[in-house]
Amino acid sequence: MKKFIEEPKGTTYKELLNVAFSICDEFLLVKRDQHDLNENGEKFIEEIKPYVKEIKRQEEWPGTTLLGHYADVYYFNCHQELKEILTNKTERLYQWLTPELLEDICFLKNGEVWLATVAHEKIGVIMSKNQSELERVIGIEGITMS
């Protein structure tokens, strides 16, 4: 079931990350070839580098298909240390944009998309088939979904 999510901010966003990290086993972030990172973005990559599981050259990822361009898609396991890094770097879901950060955070559960974002278009979609997972998200104070 797909549910579009209005941008969660502050404690609502942090609680969404808590739920995502408790349900999902993997997440990804994207660095497009045609967008450069600034100094903060480069520092962020250095900070998360020890946690990178894999970097793949891709022309698509959940929510996005590039035409004639590629991106480095960074894959991570959902570790507590990474959740703390993410919550310290961002205050809202669609803040995942270059040049400050990597883009389009997406969470995966058993290889299937659970949360996909297209940050520059302010689009986020929860794609859970599990009603209790959806209820956990809906139960977060401040969450608005359609």
Side-chain angles (χ1 to χ4, degrees):
M1 178 179 297
K2 287 185 182 180
K3 293 281 190 182
F4 288 90
I5 186 168
E6 286 188 25
E7 183 174 34
K9 300 175 183 175
T11 55
T12 302
Y13 166 66
K14 292 181 187 319
E15 187 56 33
L16 177 63
L17 285 181
N18 283 334
V19 171
F21 268 81
S22 71
I23 291 172
C24 299
D25 53 353
E26 187 175 32
F27 72 95
L28 62 88
L29 290 164
V30 179
K31 165 60 178 86
R32 295 182 194 215
D33 287 353
Q34 68 266 38
H35 297 294
D36 291 327
L37 295 171
N38 64 16
E39 186 178 335
N40 289 337
E42 294 294 340
K43 286 179 182 176
F44 176 68
I45 285 182
E46 288 303 312
E47 186 175 2
I48 62 172
K49 193 179 278 187
Y51 303 100
V52 174
K53 180 169 79 170
E54 184 175 17
I55 302 172
K56 295 181 184 178
R57 297 284 296 158
Q58 296 178 207
E59 57 187 349
E60 64 181 294
W61 56 92
T64 301
T65 300
L66 301 176
L67 301 173
H69 298 282
Y70 287 87
D72 290 331
V73 180
Y74 290 71
Y75 289 83
F76 304 88
N77 289 322
C78 288
H79 291 297
Q80 183 66 31
E81 301 87 19
L82 276 169
K83 181 177 78 171
E84 291 174 21
I85 291 170
L86 299 185
T87 56
N88 289 330
K89 290 290 179 198
T90 54
E91 288 292 322
R92 54 190 177 81
L93 185 59
Y94 305 140
Q95 191 175 346
W96 291 102
L97 294 165
T98 55
E100 291 285 322
L101 296 165
L102 298 177
E103 295 189 347
D104 295 349
I105 193 166
C106 296
F107 284 88
L108 307 169
K109 177 184 173 187
N110 300 322
E112 293 190 20
V113 179
W114 187 84
L115 168 66
T117 67
V118 183
H120 71 277
E121 293 183 16
K122 297 190 181 326
I123 296 172
V125 182
I126 301 281
M127 294 188 250
S128 178
K129 298 171 185 168
N130 183 308
Q131 187 62 35
S132 67
E133 292 174 2
L134 288 173
E135 288 171 6
R136 285 183 67 190
V137 174
I138 292 167
I140 297 170
E141 186 175 336
I143 284 286
T144 305
M145 296 180 16
S146 59

